[in-house]
Amino acid sequence: MAPIILSIMTATTNSIETLRKEALETLEQTGEAGLDQWRAEWLGRQDGRVTLLLRSVRDQPPDERAAFGAAANALKNDLEDALNQRREALKKKQLETLATSGAIDVTLPGRPQPVGRFHPVTQTLRDIVAVFGEMGFRVAEGPEVEWAKYNFDGVRIPEDHPARDMWDTIWVDKEIGGRRDMLLRTHTSPNQVRVMERQQPPIRVVVPGKCYRQEATDATHEWMLTQVEGLAVDEGIRMSDLKGVLYEFARRMFGQDRHITFHHSYFPFVEPGVEMAVDWPTADGGTRWVEILGAGMVHPEVIENAGFDSSRYTGFAFGIGVERVAMLRWGIDDIRHFYQNNLRFLRQF
Ligand code: YSA
């Protein structure tokens, strides 16, 4: 038996060795551009020559199959290795040529990789949310495309109420029978209603997000702005709680030395309503006030509409303008810088 096996193996090895020789010789003469074609010819899944060889294992006489299969598999592996080595060698050679021909000066220092960072408004938004997080407020979210029912009616701004003019609206749907229902939210306050629909008191929540208004832009107004809504509803909440929370927010955001002021303001969904402003140094060495938020005690009707007993529960709410806070933090005198995609401006933060 022994001489017969030897003679089969020799025959198999001879034919496979001939193939190997041919494959390696052509590979040696193939440049980078031809490597894929060489691969297809020899190792291609459908009709590569080695693939066909492997497929022919089943046609070999039974006692030759094992040896033939092993040798064909070894050939396949060897050719794959040889191909990888050839690719590497060609790449290396190409780099060496570039380096020695002067196209690449390998003595130059490396180019710094640009490091990404958050937009200053996003940084400020995150910092605001973190401050309220430390004070026990959790974060909720609401939709930017909103129903008028939440944006206006739910916060006591019915149709034809003059307060709707305060938030000149970008409507999304067409007017039907003199009515429109879907809009880009003009403020984050609709989330007061959405939160109270889902949650029972005690409530302490902040809702960050983009808002949109049809408004002419100037140094302190953009048509797209970011707000953080705050809402606290519980037994015994008073105006002094609102002031305490907002003072603490201002202290953490702007430091001890910054002055803040509250003055009365009107929002249909609060009673009483206030605005808070922070001092801003002017060019002549003085200061002026920049308003950063609206706030107030949640109107009893809003509490009742949510299904809570307003003789038991009271609450406060606020809506902070994030771009204004960012302006005050870094002394940016024009809100329009934020959204002009000027990298020289944005890289400073
Ligand atoms: C009031 C009372 C509450 O109980 C709760 C929330 C509010 C705020 C109310 N929803 C509101 O939007 N009031 S506001 O129109 O005065 O805007 C609030 C803050 O957003 C402003 O103080 C300002 O900082 C910012 N803001 C408003 N319009 C802006 C703007 N920032 C940039 N561009 C605009 N066009």
Side-chain angles (χ1 to χ4, degrees):
M1 286 297 284
I4 296 173
I5 287 181
L6 194 66
S7 70
I8 290 167
M9 283 186 68
T10 312
T12 306
T13 312
N14 280 345
S15 62
I16 288 180
E17 278 317 301
T18 314
L19 271 183
R20 177 194 304 274
K21 199 157 166 269
E22 189 188 339
L24 292 177
E25 270 171 18
T26 48
L27 180 61
E28 211 41 48
Q29 286 150 24
T30 306
E32 208 186 339
L35 288 182
D36 285 341
Q37 204 185 327
W38 182 92
R39 185 174 213 296
E41 183 186 339
W42 290 95
L43 299 165
R45 273 168 185 254
Q46 290 295 329
D47 51 4
R49 290 173 68 180
V50 177
T51 312
L52 295 178
L53 185 75
L54 278 163
R55 230 173 264 154
S56 73
V57 172
R58 58 175 176 250
D59 306 328
Q60 304 301 318
D63 50 350
E64 294 176 22
R65 257 178 227 159
F68 189 89
N73 261 317
L75 174 64
K76 177 174 174 264
N77 293 337
D78 291 350
L79 291 192
E80 273 169 353
D81 288 348
L83 174 64
N84 288 338
Q85 279 168 20
R86 177 84 183 139
R87 264 195 218 285
E88 282 303 307
L90 285 171
K91 205 194 272 171
K92 202 167 156 212
K93 201 165 152 210
Q94 198 185 23
L95 282 175
E96 276 166 11
T97 317
L98 277 174
T100 49
S101 71
I104 291 180
D105 182 350
V106 289
T107 63
L108 280 176
R111 292 201 187 107
Q113 288 294 314
V115 179
R117 70 196 78 193
F118 286 118
H119 189 280
V121 173
T122 308
Q123 287 181 42
T124 306
L125 179 70
R126 289 178 157 224
D127 292 342
I128 294 174
V129 168
V131 165
F132 285 105
E134 284 166 14
M135 288 196 262
F137 287 73
R138 69 175 184 88
V139 182
E141 282 185 317
E144 285 180 29
V145 178
E146 184 56 284
W147 298 110
K149 162 180 132 171
Y150 288 108
N151 196 82
F152 292 132
D153 305 84
V155 285
R156 299 187 75 247
I157 315 179
E159 260 175 84
D160 304 327
H161 192 293
R164 289 208 189 202
D165 296 341
M166 287 203 299
W167 295 289
D168 267 354
T169 310
I170 299 173
W171 293 92
V172 172
D173 59 351
K174 287 209 171 76
E175 193 173 311
I176 299 172
R179 261 188 76 94
R180 286 174 151 188
D181 290 321
M182 198 190 276
L183 46 83
L184 297 185
R185 69 178 171 202
T186 57
H187 54 169
T188 42
S189 295
N191 294 297
Q192 293 186 24
V193 184
R194 287 185 174 274
V195 167
M196 285 192 278
E197 262 180 5
R198 308 192 283 261
Q199 200 191 326
Q200 295 290 316
I203 295 170
R204 273 169 193 69
V205 72
V206 281
V207 190
K210 294 257 180 276
C211 309
Y212 304 85
R213 297 181 183 183
Q214 202 144 28
E215 112 168 282
T217 61
D218 61 25
T220 50
H221 292 85
E222 262 291 359
W223 65 269
M224 180 186 79
L225 58 137
T226 317
Q227 289 190 341
V228 173
E229 191 77 10
L231 175 70
V233 181
D234 204 346
E235 289 179 37
I237 289 200
R238 295 180 305 176
M239 186 78 183
S240 50
D241 297 312
L242 169 64
K243 283 186 84 175
V245 164
L246 291 181
Y247 267 121
E248 183 58 16
F249 156 69
R251 195 184 63 77
R252 293 205 203 175
M253 213 60 214
F254 304 111
Q256 297 278 16
D257 303 332
R258 218 64 187 259
H259 296 108
I260 63 169
T261 182
F262 285 97
H263 57 87
H264 171 261
S265 185
Y266 173 70
F267 301 99
F269 38 98
V270 289
E271 183 53 40
V274 289
E275 273 170 0
M276 186 173 119
V278 179
D279 63 340
W280 172 277
T282 50
D284 58 5
T287 54
R288 70 181 171 96
W289 296 112
V290 175
E291 173 212 319
I292 60 159
L293 61 86
M297 296 303 289
V298 182
H299 197 287
E301 223 175 273
V302 177
I303 302 252
E304 289 286 337
N305 287 346
F308 308 145
D309 177 359
S310 64
S311 64
R312 181 172 169 203
Y313 292 111
T314 50
F316 66 70
F318 53 83
I320 304 172
V322 180
E323 285 81 1
R324 299 262 180 99
V325 174
M327 290 171 78
L328 282 159
R329 270 178 118 182
W330 286 302
I332 297 161
D333 59 2
D334 196 321
I335 197 171
R336 290 167 290 197
H337 288 309
F338 287 126
Y339 300 119
Q340 283 169 344
N341 289 334
N342 178 351
L343 289 180
R344 284 180 58 217
F345 169 77
L346 294 172
R347 283 205 181 108
Q348 298 174 85
F349 306 99

mmCIF file of all heavy atoms in Angstrom, residues 94-139:
data_model
loop_
_atom_site.group_PDB
_atom_site.id
_atom_site.type_symbol
_atom_site.label_atom_id
_atom_site.label_comp_id
_atom_site.label_asym_id
_atom_site.label_seq_id
_atom_site.Cartn_x
_atom_site.Cartn_y
_atom_site.Cartn_z
ATOM 1 N N GLN A 94 5.743 52.257 -1.929
ATOM 2 C CA GLN A 94 5.176 53.532 -2.375
ATOM 3 C C GLN A 94 5.537 54.654 -1.386
ATOM 4 O O GLN A 94 5.953 55.740 -1.792
ATOM 5 C CB GLN A 94 3.665 53.378 -2.425
ATOM 6 C CG GLN A 94 2.977 54.435 -3.259
ATOM 7 C CD GLN A 94 1.469 54.278 -3.159
ATOM 8 O OE1 GLN A 94 0.959 53.699 -2.195
ATOM 9 N NE2 GLN A 94 0.769 54.777 -4.148
ATOM 10 N N LEU A 95 5.404 54.360 -0.085
ATOM 11 C CA LEU A 95 5.742 55.365 0.936
ATOM 12 C C LEU A 95 7.213 55.721 0.890
ATOM 13 O O LEU A 95 7.600 56.887 0.992
ATOM 14 C CB LEU A 95 5.376 54.846 2.333
ATOM 15 C CG LEU A 95 3.897 54.913 2.691
ATOM 16 C CD1 LEU A 95 3.659 54.264 4.044
ATOM 17 C CD2 LEU A 95 3.417 56.361 2.718
ATOM 18 N N GLU A 96 8.054 54.672 0.695
ATOM 19 C CA GLU A 96 9.499 54.940 0.631
ATOM 20 C C GLU A 96 9.817 55.844 -0.550
ATOM 21 O O GLU A 96 10.595 56.779 -0.447
ATOM 22 C CB GLU A 96 10.256 53.622 0.493
ATOM 23 C CG GLU A 96 10.485 52.949 1.852
ATOM 24 C CD GLU A 96 10.933 51.494 1.690
ATOM 25 O OE1 GLU A 96 11.272 51.078 0.544
ATOM 26 O OE2 GLU A 96 10.900 50.781 2.700
ATOM 27 N N THR A 97 9.170 55.556 -1.691
ATOM 28 C CA THR A 97 9.423 56.366 -2.877
ATOM 29 C C THR A 97 9.011 57.809 -2.616
ATOM 30 O O THR A 97 9.728 58.750 -2.947
ATOM 31 C CB THR A 97 8.600 55.819 -4.082
ATOM 32 O OG1 THR A 97 8.692 54.427 -4.066
ATOM 33 C CG2 THR A 97 9.089 56.389 -5.392
ATOM 34 N N LEU A 98 7.824 57.975 -1.994
ATOM 35 C CA LEU A 98 7.345 59.331 -1.698
ATOM 36 C C LEU A 98 8.323 60.057 -0.777
ATOM 37 O O LEU A 98 8.633 61.226 -0.982
ATOM 38 C CB LEU A 98 5.971 59.268 -1.016
ATOM 39 C CG LEU A 98 4.767 59.134 -1.938
ATOM 40 C CD1 LEU A 98 3.511 58.935 -1.103
ATOM 41 C CD2 LEU A 98 4.621 60.378 -2.810
ATOM 42 N N ALA A 99 8.796 59.325 0.249
ATOM 43 C CA ALA A 99 9.681 59.949 1.233
ATOM 44 C C ALA A 99 10.993 60.353 0.571
ATOM 45 O O ALA A 99 11.486 61.465 0.779
ATOM 46 C CB ALA A 99 9.927 58.998 2.386
ATOM 47 N N THR A 100 11.553 59.455 -0.250
ATOM 48 C CA THR A 100 12.865 59.775 -0.821
ATOM 49 C C THR A 100 12.745 60.764 -1.969
ATOM 50 O O THR A 100 13.643 61.535 -2.214
ATOM 51 C CB THR A 100 13.569 58.501 -1.317
ATOM 52 O OG1 THR A 100 12.635 57.785 -2.114
ATOM 53 C CG2 THR A 100 14.051 57.633 -0.172
ATOM 54 N N SER A 101 11.576 60.794 -2.651
ATOM 55 C CA SER A 101 11.451 61.737 -3.768
ATOM 56 C C SER A 101 11.135 63.145 -3.251
ATOM 57 O O SER A 101 10.988 64.067 -4.020
ATOM 58 C CB SER A 101 10.354 61.287 -4.727
ATOM 59 O OG SER A 101 9.115 61.470 -4.098
ATOM 60 N N GLY A 102 10.935 63.291 -1.935
ATOM 61 C CA GLY A 102 10.729 64.622 -1.375
ATOM 62 C C GLY A 102 9.269 65.030 -1.328
ATOM 63 O O GLY A 102 8.929 66.104 -0.834
ATOM 64 N N ALA A 103 8.350 64.204 -1.882
ATOM 65 C CA ALA A 103 6.929 64.573 -1.846
ATOM 66 C C ALA A 103 6.437 64.619 -0.405
ATOM 67 O O ALA A 103 5.557 65.386 -0.071
ATOM 68 C CB ALA A 103 6.118 63.575 -2.659
ATOM 69 N N ILE A 104 7.022 63.757 0.462
ATOM 70 C CA ILE A 104 6.692 63.842 1.887
ATOM 71 C C ILE A 104 7.964 64.157 2.655
ATOM 72 O O ILE A 104 8.964 63.463 2.495
ATOM 73 C CB ILE A 104 6.141 62.493 2.406
ATOM 74 C CG1 ILE A 104 4.779 62.226 1.816
ATOM 75 C CG2 ILE A 104 6.061 62.489 3.921
ATOM 76 C CD1 ILE A 104 4.179 60.925 2.276
ATOM 77 N N ASP A 105 7.912 65.215 3.449
ATOM 78 C CA ASP A 105 9.062 65.523 4.282
ATOM 79 C C ASP A 105 8.837 64.861 5.640
ATOM 80 O O ASP A 105 8.081 65.356 6.468
ATOM 81 C CB ASP A 105 9.185 67.040 4.428
ATOM 82 C CG ASP A 105 10.406 67.407 5.265
ATOM 83 O OD1 ASP A 105 11.020 66.493 5.861
ATOM 84 O OD2 ASP A 105 10.743 68.606 5.327
ATOM 85 N N VAL A 106 9.517 63.693 5.830
ATOM 86 C CA VAL A 106 9.266 62.927 7.050
ATOM 87 C C VAL A 106 9.827 63.608 8.292
ATOM 88 O O VAL A 106 9.566 63.177 9.410
ATOM 89 C CB VAL A 106 9.819 61.482 6.948
ATOM 90 C CG1 VAL A 106 9.003 60.662 5.990
ATOM 91 C CG2 VAL A 106 11.285 61.505 6.572
ATOM 92 N N THR A 107 10.566 64.703 8.114
ATOM 93 C CA THR A 107 11.116 65.383 9.295
ATOM 94 C C THR A 107 10.153 66.450 9.827
ATOM 95 O O THR A 107 10.372 67.014 10.886
ATOM 96 C CB THR A 107 12.457 66.068 8.952
ATOM 97 O OG1 THR A 107 12.208 67.069 7.961
ATOM 98 C CG2 THR A 107 13.473 65.085 8.443
ATOM 99 N N LEU A 108 9.069 66.749 9.038
ATOM 100 C CA LEU A 108 8.114 67.761 9.506
ATOM 101 C C LEU A 108 7.365 67.265 10.739
ATOM 102 O O LEU A 108 7.104 66.067 10.851
ATOM 103 C CB LEU A 108 7.079 68.052 8.410
ATOM 104 C CG LEU A 108 7.499 68.987 7.291
ATOM 105 C CD1 LEU A 108 6.388 69.070 6.252
ATOM 106 C CD2 LEU A 108 7.796 70.378 7.836
ATOM 107 N N PRO A 109 6.982 68.175 11.672
ATOM 108 C CA PRO A 109 6.168 67.726 12.817
ATOM 109 C C PRO A 109 4.789 67.293 12.336
ATOM 110 O O PRO A 109 4.307 67.765 11.311
ATOM 111 C CB PRO A 109 6.065 68.982 13.690
ATOM 112 C CG PRO A 109 6.414 70.129 12.807
ATOM 113 C CD PRO A 109 7.285 69.617 11.703
ATOM 114 N N GLY A 110 4.139 66.381 13.088
ATOM 115 C CA GLY A 110 2.819 65.891 12.697
ATOM 116 C C GLY A 110 1.787 67.003 12.711
ATOM 117 O O GLY A 110 1.958 68.012 13.382
ATOM 118 N N ARG A 111 0.725 66.813 11.912
ATOM 119 C CA ARG A 111 -0.344 67.828 11.923
ATOM 120 C C ARG A 111 -1.259 67.571 13.103
ATOM 121 O O ARG A 111 -1.670 66.436 13.324
ATOM 122 C CB ARG A 111 -1.185 67.719 10.646
ATOM 123 C CG ARG A 111 -0.408 68.122 9.425
ATOM 124 C CD ARG A 111 -1.344 68.510 8.297
ATOM 125 N NE ARG A 111 -0.541 68.725 7.106
ATOM 126 C CZ ARG A 111 -0.513 67.905 6.080
ATOM 127 N NH1 ARG A 111 -1.265 66.824 6.093
ATOM 128 N NH2 ARG A 111 0.255 68.145 5.051
ATOM 129 N N PRO A 112 -1.610 68.607 13.864
ATOM 130 C CA PRO A 112 -2.516 68.369 15.007
ATOM 131 C C PRO A 112 -3.892 67.937 14.522
ATOM 132 O O PRO A 112 -4.398 68.451 13.531
ATOM 133 C CB PRO A 112 -2.592 69.733 15.695
ATOM 134 C CG PRO A 112 -2.104 70.730 14.707
ATOM 135 C CD PRO A 112 -1.254 70.021 13.712
ATOM 136 N N GLN A 113 -4.471 66.956 15.192
ATOM 137 C CA GLN A 113 -5.819 66.518 14.851
ATOM 138 C C GLN A 113 -6.819 67.470 15.505
ATOM 139 O O GLN A 113 -6.728 67.717 16.707
ATOM 140 C CB GLN A 113 -6.077 65.117 15.416
ATOM 141 C CG GLN A 113 -5.330 64.017 14.692
ATOM 142 C CD GLN A 113 -5.811 63.851 13.258
ATOM 143 O OE1 GLN A 113 -7.004 63.823 13.015
ATOM 144 N NE2 GLN A 113 -4.882 63.761 12.331
ATOM 145 N N PRO A 114 -7.752 68.030 14.713
ATOM 146 C CA PRO A 114 -8.719 68.924 15.347
ATOM 147 C C PRO A 114 -9.582 68.171 16.368
ATOM 148 O O PRO A 114 -10.033 67.061 16.093
ATOM 149 C CB PRO A 114 -9.585 69.419 14.186
ATOM 150 C CG PRO A 114 -9.260 68.566 13.025
ATOM 151 C CD PRO A 114 -7.986 67.833 13.290
ATOM 152 N N VAL A 115 -9.735 68.758 17.554
ATOM 153 C CA VAL A 115 -10.522 68.094 18.593
ATOM 154 C C VAL A 115 -11.908 68.728 18.618
ATOM 155 O O VAL A 115 -12.031 69.952 18.653
ATOM 156 C CB VAL A 115 -9.841 68.264 19.969
ATOM 157 C CG1 VAL A 115 -10.669 67.583 21.060
ATOM 158 C CG2 VAL A 115 -8.443 67.693 19.931
ATOM 159 N N GLY A 116 -12.931 67.921 18.568
ATOM 160 C CA GLY A 116 -14.298 68.446 18.582
ATOM 161 C C GLY A 116 -14.673 68.958 19.959
ATOM 162 O O GLY A 116 -14.020 68.654 20.950
ATOM 163 N N ARG A 117 -15.685 69.811 19.991
ATOM 164 C CA ARG A 117 -16.164 70.299 21.291
ATOM 165 C C ARG A 117 -17.627 70.681 21.138
ATOM 166 O O ARG A 117 -18.135 70.798 20.027
ATOM 167 C CB ARG A 117 -15.338 71.481 21.749
ATOM 168 C CG ARG A 117 -15.582 72.728 20.910
ATOM 169 C CD ARG A 117 -14.523 73.765 21.105
ATOM 170 N NE ARG A 117 -13.323 73.415 20.352
ATOM 171 C CZ ARG A 117 -12.148 73.996 20.507
ATOM 172 N NH1 ARG A 117 -11.992 74.933 21.387
ATOM 173 N NH2 ARG A 117 -11.112 73.644 19.782
ATOM 174 N N PHE A 118 -18.283 70.886 22.267
ATOM 175 C CA PHE A 118 -19.687 71.274 22.208
ATOM 176 C C PHE A 118 -19.823 72.749 21.852
ATOM 177 O O PHE A 118 -18.989 73.573 22.231
ATOM 178 C CB PHE A 118 -20.377 71.010 23.545
ATOM 179 C CG PHE A 118 -20.638 69.550 23.776
ATOM 180 C CD1 PHE A 118 -20.062 68.884 24.851
ATOM 181 C CD2 PHE A 118 -21.472 68.843 22.925
ATOM 182 C CE1 PHE A 118 -20.301 67.543 25.060
ATOM 183 C CE2 PHE A 118 -21.723 67.500 23.127
ATOM 184 C CZ PHE A 118 -21.136 66.850 24.194
ATOM 185 N N HIS A 119 -20.887 73.048 21.132
ATOM 186 C CA HIS A 119 -21.257 74.423 20.807
ATOM 187 C C HIS A 119 -21.472 75.185 22.128
ATOM 188 O O HIS A 119 -21.967 74.599 23.090
ATOM 189 C CB HIS A 119 -22.559 74.371 19.988
ATOM 190 C CG HIS A 119 -22.955 75.675 19.404
ATOM 191 N ND1 HIS A 119 -23.595 76.635 20.144
ATOM 192 C CD2 HIS A 119 -22.821 76.183 18.155
ATOM 193 C CE1 HIS A 119 -23.828 77.682 19.372
ATOM 194 N NE2 HIS A 119 -23.368 77.429 18.152
ATOM 195 N N PRO A 120 -21.093 76.475 22.184
ATOM 196 C CA PRO A 120 -21.231 77.207 23.449
ATOM 197 C C PRO A 120 -22.660 77.184 24.016
ATOM 198 O O PRO A 120 -22.836 77.167 25.243
ATOM 199 C CB PRO A 120 -20.808 78.638 23.101
ATOM 200 C CG PRO A 120 -20.652 78.680 21.616
ATOM 201 C CD PRO A 120 -20.435 77.292 21.150
ATOM 202 N N VAL A 121 -23.656 77.161 23.112
ATOM 203 C CA VAL A 121 -25.039 77.121 23.626
ATOM 204 C C VAL A 121 -25.318 75.750 24.247
ATOM 205 O O VAL A 121 -25.967 75.646 25.299
ATOM 206 C CB VAL A 121 -26.056 77.460 22.504
ATOM 207 C CG1 VAL A 121 -27.489 77.245 22.989
ATOM 208 C CG2 VAL A 121 -25.873 78.908 22.049
ATOM 209 N N THR A 122 -24.787 74.694 23.634
ATOM 210 C CA THR A 122 -24.971 73.345 24.194
ATOM 211 C C THR A 122 -24.250 73.239 25.537
ATOM 212 O O THR A 122 -24.771 72.672 26.494
ATOM 213 C CB THR A 122 -24.425 72.270 23.223
ATOM 214 O OG1 THR A 122 -25.000 72.511 21.952
ATOM 215 C CG2 THR A 122 -24.761 70.874 23.684
ATOM 216 N N GLN A 123 -23.020 73.802 25.602
ATOM 217 C CA GLN A 123 -22.286 73.785 26.888
ATOM 218 C C GLN A 123 -23.108 74.465 27.970
ATOM 219 O O GLN A 123 -23.249 73.952 29.086
ATOM 220 C CB GLN A 123 -20.967 74.537 26.755
ATOM 221 C CG GLN A 123 -19.906 73.816 25.952
ATOM 222 C CD GLN A 123 -18.621 74.651 25.899
ATOM 223 O OE1 GLN A 123 -18.194 75.233 26.891
ATOM 224 N NE2 GLN A 123 -17.991 74.700 24.741
ATOM 225 N N THR A 124 -23.672 75.632 27.626
ATOM 226 C CA THR A 124 -24.445 76.389 28.610
ATOM 227 C C THR A 124 -25.709 75.628 29.001
ATOM 228 O O THR A 124 -26.054 75.546 30.186
ATOM 229 C CB THR A 124 -24.796 77.785 28.026
ATOM 230 O OG1 THR A 124 -23.586 78.400 27.612
ATOM 231 C CG2 THR A 124 -25.488 78.651 29.044
ATOM 232 N N LEU A 125 -26.362 75.047 27.997
ATOM 233 C CA LEU A 125 -27.575 74.271 28.271
ATOM 234 C C LEU A 125 -27.272 73.136 29.250
ATOM 235 O O LEU A 125 -27.991 72.917 30.225
ATOM 236 C CB LEU A 125 -28.107 73.698 26.950
ATOM 237 C CG LEU A 125 -29.353 72.828 27.035
ATOM 238 C CD1 LEU A 125 -30.553 73.676 27.394
ATOM 239 C CD2 LEU A 125 -29.612 72.119 25.721
ATOM 240 N N ARG A 126 -26.162 72.436 28.991
ATOM 241 C CA ARG A 126 -25.795 71.322 29.882
ATOM 242 C C ARG A 126 -25.493 71.817 31.289
ATOM 243 O O ARG A 126 -25.849 71.173 32.276
ATOM 244 C CB ARG A 126 -24.569 70.592 29.322
ATOM 245 C CG ARG A 126 -24.926 69.814 28.076
ATOM 246 C CD ARG A 126 -23.707 69.128 27.508
ATOM 247 N NE ARG A 126 -24.173 68.004 26.706
ATOM 248 C CZ ARG A 126 -23.648 66.792 26.728
ATOM 249 N NH1 ARG A 126 -22.620 66.523 27.483
ATOM 250 N NH2 ARG A 126 -24.136 65.835 25.975
ATOM 251 N N ASP A 127 -24.801 72.965 31.368
ATOM 252 C CA ASP A 127 -24.473 73.491 32.698
ATOM 253 C C ASP A 127 -25.738 73.904 33.450
ATOM 254 O O ASP A 127 -25.853 73.664 34.653
ATOM 255 C CB ASP A 127 -23.505 74.680 32.579
ATOM 256 C CG ASP A 127 -22.134 74.226 32.068
ATOM 257 O OD1 ASP A 127 -21.854 73.015 32.145
ATOM 258 O OD2 ASP A 127 -21.359 75.066 31.585
ATOM 259 N N ILE A 128 -26.678 74.523 32.741
ATOM 260 C CA ILE A 128 -27.936 74.945 33.390
ATOM 261 C C ILE A 128 -28.668 73.713 33.928
ATOM 262 O O ILE A 128 -29.094 73.670 35.090
ATOM 263 C CB ILE A 128 -28.843 75.713 32.391
ATOM 264 C CG1 ILE A 128 -28.201 77.033 31.976
ATOM 265 C CG2 ILE A 128 -30.227 75.943 32.990
ATOM 266 C CD1 ILE A 128 -28.944 77.793 30.887
ATOM 267 N N VAL A 129 -28.782 72.698 33.069
ATOM 268 C CA VAL A 129 -29.505 71.486 33.474
ATOM 269 C C VAL A 129 -28.802 70.827 34.669
ATOM 270 O O VAL A 129 -29.457 70.339 35.602
ATOM 271 C CB VAL A 129 -29.629 70.520 32.265
ATOM 272 C CG1 VAL A 129 -30.101 69.146 32.706
ATOM 273 C CG2 VAL A 129 -30.592 71.092 31.232
ATOM 274 N N ALA A 130 -27.456 70.872 34.673
ATOM 275 C CA ALA A 130 -26.713 70.265 35.790
ATOM 276 C C ALA A 130 -26.992 71.007 37.097
ATOM 277 O O ALA A 130 -27.174 70.385 38.147
ATOM 278 C CB ALA A 130 -25.215 70.267 35.478
ATOM 279 N N VAL A 131 -27.042 72.357 37.028
ATOM 280 C CA VAL A 131 -27.312 73.148 38.242
ATOM 281 C C VAL A 131 -28.677 72.749 38.816
ATOM 282 O O VAL A 131 -28.820 72.508 40.020
ATOM 283 C CB VAL A 131 -27.275 74.663 37.923
ATOM 284 C CG1 VAL A 131 -27.901 75.472 39.055
ATOM 285 C CG2 VAL A 131 -25.846 75.125 37.684
ATOM 286 N N PHE A 132 -29.685 72.660 37.946
ATOM 287 C CA PHE A 132 -31.020 72.302 38.457
ATOM 288 C C PHE A 132 -31.071 70.834 38.881
ATOM 289 O O PHE A 132 -31.801 70.487 39.812
ATOM 290 C CB PHE A 132 -32.106 72.636 37.421
ATOM 291 C CG PHE A 132 -32.368 74.108 37.344
ATOM 292 C CD1 PHE A 132 -31.893 74.868 36.282
ATOM 293 C CD2 PHE A 132 -33.043 74.754 38.364
ATOM 294 C CE1 PHE A 132 -32.101 76.235 36.237
ATOM 295 C CE2 PHE A 132 -33.258 76.126 38.327
ATOM 296 C CZ PHE A 132 -32.784 76.864 37.265
ATOM 297 N N GLY A 133 -30.276 70.000 38.214
ATOM 298 C CA GLY A 133 -30.203 68.589 38.619
ATOM 299 C C GLY A 133 -29.733 68.488 40.068
ATOM 300 O O GLY A 133 -30.281 67.720 40.864
ATOM 301 N N GLU A 134 -28.721 69.311 40.410
ATOM 302 C CA GLU A 134 -28.213 69.286 41.788
ATOM 303 C C GLU A 134 -29.248 69.796 42.785
ATOM 304 O O GLU A 134 -29.189 69.488 43.968
ATOM 305 C CB GLU A 134 -26.934 70.131 41.894
ATOM 306 C CG GLU A 134 -25.734 69.422 41.301
ATOM 307 C CD GLU A 134 -24.553 70.352 41.074
ATOM 308 O OE1 GLU A 134 -24.548 71.474 41.612
ATOM 309 O OE2 GLU A 134 -23.639 69.949 40.335
ATOM 310 N N MET A 135 -30.207 70.595 42.274
ATOM 311 C CA MET A 135 -31.250 71.105 43.180
ATOM 312 C C MET A 135 -32.466 70.174 43.194
ATOM 313 O O MET A 135 -33.517 70.530 43.734
ATOM 314 C CB MET A 135 -31.669 72.516 42.761
ATOM 315 C CG MET A 135 -30.617 73.558 43.070
ATOM 316 S SD MET A 135 -31.300 75.241 43.000
ATOM 317 C CE MET A 135 -30.832 75.756 41.391
ATOM 318 N N GLY A 136 -32.357 69.011 42.589
ATOM 319 C CA GLY A 136 -33.426 68.018 42.692
ATOM 320 C C GLY A 136 -34.420 68.004 41.545
ATOM 321 O O GLY A 136 -35.460 67.346 41.626
ATOM 322 N N PHE A 137 -34.107 68.738 40.447
ATOM 323 C CA PHE A 137 -35.007 68.734 39.291
ATOM 324 C C PHE A 137 -34.591 67.619 38.336
ATOM 325 O O PHE A 137 -33.413 67.478 38.026
ATOM 326 C CB PHE A 137 -34.928 70.067 38.547
ATOM 327 C CG PHE A 137 -35.585 71.221 39.267
ATOM 328 C CD1 PHE A 137 -34.988 71.776 40.397
ATOM 329 C CD2 PHE A 137 -36.784 71.742 38.825
ATOM 330 C CE1 PHE A 137 -35.586 72.838 41.063
ATOM 331 C CE2 PHE A 137 -37.388 72.794 39.500
ATOM 332 C CZ PHE A 137 -36.787 73.351 40.611
ATOM 333 N N ARG A 138 -35.571 66.838 37.860
ATOM 334 C CA ARG A 138 -35.226 65.839 36.854
ATOM 335 C C ARG A 138 -35.475 66.453 35.477
ATOM 336 O O ARG A 138 -36.085 67.520 35.365
ATOM 337 C CB ARG A 138 -36.028 64.545 37.046
ATOM 338 C CG ARG A 138 -37.461 64.676 36.749
ATOM 339 C CD ARG A 138 -38.237 63.372 36.811
ATOM 340 N NE ARG A 138 -39.608 63.658 36.405
ATOM 341 C CZ ARG A 138 -40.026 63.623 35.158
ATOM 342 N NH1 ARG A 138 -39.210 63.283 34.193
ATOM 343 N NH2 ARG A 138 -41.284 63.935 34.862
ATOM 344 N N VAL A 139 -34.972 65.773 34.418
ATOM 345 C CA VAL A 139 -35.070 66.330 33.066
ATOM 346 C C VAL A 139 -36.170 65.610 32.290
ATOM 347 O O VAL A 139 -36.262 64.387 32.331
ATOM 348 C CB VAL A 139 -33.729 66.164 32.303
ATOM 349 C CG1 VAL A 139 -33.818 66.788 30.918
ATOM 350 C CG2 VAL A 139 -32.597 66.797 33.083
#
